[in-house]
Amino acid sequence: MLRDKHFWIVVGTGLLLGGCGVLLAVLGNPQNSGICVSCFIENSAGALGFHDNQRMQYLRPELIGFVLGSAASAGLFGEFRSRGGSAPLPRLFAGIFLIVGCSVFIGCPIKLFLRLTAGDLTAVAGVAGLVAGVWAGVRSLASGVELGPKPITGRGGGYLMPAFFLLLLAFLFVRPGFIIFSSQGSAAQHAPLLIALGAGIVLGACAQRSRFCITGSIRDTFLMGLRTPAVWGLAAFVLTAGAASGAAGRFNLGLYGQPGAHLDFLWSFLGMGLVGWLSVLIGGCPFRQLIKAGEGDADAGLVVVGMFIGGALAQSWGLAATAAGVPLAGKVAVLAGFLFLLAGSLLARERSA
């Protein structure tokens, strides 16, 4: 495995993700949120006027960089392929519930490990939930759950999402009047624009080449043990993030007073469990969906649209957790997500004749 070029690309991506995750927080992003796809989606949805939480509105350059970096890499290496057409509505709702689960935990799977490696012990419940969710997803696939037929190619729909993020890039620099930027709260905390955009582009390109994904790494470990490069990429990410947090003086071991965290451990477990299960069924975590959308996967693009809807609903409907805990609406939404998963799994299960 050590002689495999792909192995080192995966490990390099993990190292870069861990380093950038801490560095972007040092440069201005919220603490332990140097990279958080779900938080950035909620911020960007607010910047586009999809919700009115004045503390959560900023068009995050990192998100734009992830998609455009992936598109550029896929085009450069001849891997951009417009494809899609598998179970559009289930994928749209999966995107919504991905953000619901993340907002109840407060963070995507990347932020989950950034919180843990910064000493936040409340994230342990989230890790347990994510692993349990991925295991449930693997079991679902093994029992025949399949979202739909193989993707259809050649329809041109795969170009829409890179084009949309190019438009967001123009909005970021031109700043038309309808784009809203917070002057207070977590969305007002951000790294310098060009650095954040550059980091996003590099990470997007590396993730496209490596196919790195947090939930995919856990899934592959269940299936292949330590023989998969993905688990070593995840280990590199965790070790780098932990070392960088320590070097930056941001390691604070404990349960109490952690930034962007709460003590509702059961709901952290369930929120991340929902994210893990969904991610296995749709082929990747929120970060991976952005990367796939950049390389022409219209199905992943529809998940990204769902994530933007979910980001808007998380704020407009009061689903998102805060340091005070998980609101009742958020708990109901997570349970609705599991009902969606169970019903969908029953309907989408292929039975042998």
Side-chain angles (χ1 to χ4, degrees), residues 1-230:
M1 190 163 60
L2 295 178
R3 296 180 180 179
D4 182 3
K5 181 181 176 182
H6 180 68
F7 170 83
W8 292 109
I9 294 176
V10 174
V11 170
T13 302
L15 291 170
L16 194 62
L17 191 63
C20 287
V22 176
L23 179 63
L24 289 171
V26 171
L27 293 176
N29 281 359
Q31 192 170 354
N32 294 354
S33 300
I35 295 173
C36 174
V37 172
S38 61
C39 304
F40 292 175
I41 289 275
E42 291 177 44
N43 289 170
S44 299
L48 295 170
F50 295 168
H51 67 73
D52 60 358
N53 185 339
Q54 297 179 357
R55 301 172 60 86
M56 293 288 286
Q57 296 165 322
Y58 180 58
L59 201 52
R60 290 284 177 183
E62 296 90 344
L63 278 189
I64 298 170
F66 294 156
V67 175
L68 297 186
S70 168
S73 173
L76 183 65
F77 290 96
E79 295 182 344
F80 188 95
R81 188 164 58 90
S82 180
R83 58 194 187 276
S86 169
L89 274 180
R91 291 184 190 277
L92 180 71
F93 278 87
I96 294 172
F97 283 118
L98 272 180
I99 298 302
V100 166
C102 290
S103 68
V104 164
F105 170 72
I106 312 183
C108 72
I110 292 176
K111 179 174 175 177
L112 164 68
F113 283 100
L114 289 177
R115 282 174 50 179
L116 186 68
T117 54
D120 179 356
L121 296 180
T122 67
V124 172
V127 173
L130 188 69
V131 171
V134 171
W135 178 83
V138 170
R139 296 300 303 166
S140 294
L141 292 179
S143 65
V145 174
E146 176 63 50
L147 278 183
K150 297 296 182 183
I152 302 169
T153 61
R155 298 294 179 87
Y159 293 96
L160 291 175
M161 198 49 63
F164 172 67
F165 276 85
L166 267 177
L167 180 65
L168 294 185
L169 180 65
F171 287 166
L172 188 62
F173 285 101
V174 176
R175 301 200 173 192
F178 55 83
I179 297 296
I180 311 165
F181 287 162
S182 296
S183 59
Q184 58 181 339
S186 59
Q189 300 174 37
H190 50 79
L193 189 156
L194 292 180
I195 293 177
L197 180 63
I201 290 173
V202 172
L203 284 170
C206 290
Q208 193 277 325
R209 297 300 299 151
S210 65
R211 276 69 172 170
F212 182 75
C213 170
I214 300 293
T215 55
S217 301
I218 299 171
R219 177 203 61 200
D220 289 354
T221 305
F222 275 128
L223 296 175
M224 296 183 285
L226 299 181
R227 290 173 297 166
T228 173

Side-chain angles (χ1 to χ4, degrees), residues 252-348:
N252 176 31
L253 186 65
L255 278 173
Y256 303 101
Q258 296 289 349
H262 57 73
L263 299 177
D264 285 345
F265 303 127
L266 173 62
W267 293 100
S268 290
F269 178 88
L270 292 175
M272 274 292 115
L274 179 62
V275 173
W277 192 344
L278 281 168
S279 296
V280 171
L281 294 185
I282 63 175
C285 65
F287 178 65
R288 179 69 185 142
Q289 297 300 322
L290 287 166
I291 301 304
K292 289 167 66 178
E295 60 185 22
D297 189 330
D299 290 337
L302 203 52
V303 175
V304 172
V305 172
M307 291 198 295
F308 270 86
I309 297 173
L313 295 181
Q315 294 300 318
S316 297
W317 291 4
L319 310 180
T322 66
V326 181
L328 177 60
K331 297 174 182 177
V332 172
V334 167
L335 296 179
F338 278 110
L339 284 176
F340 164 77
L341 261 176
L342 291 171
S345 295
L346 289 174
L347 293 173

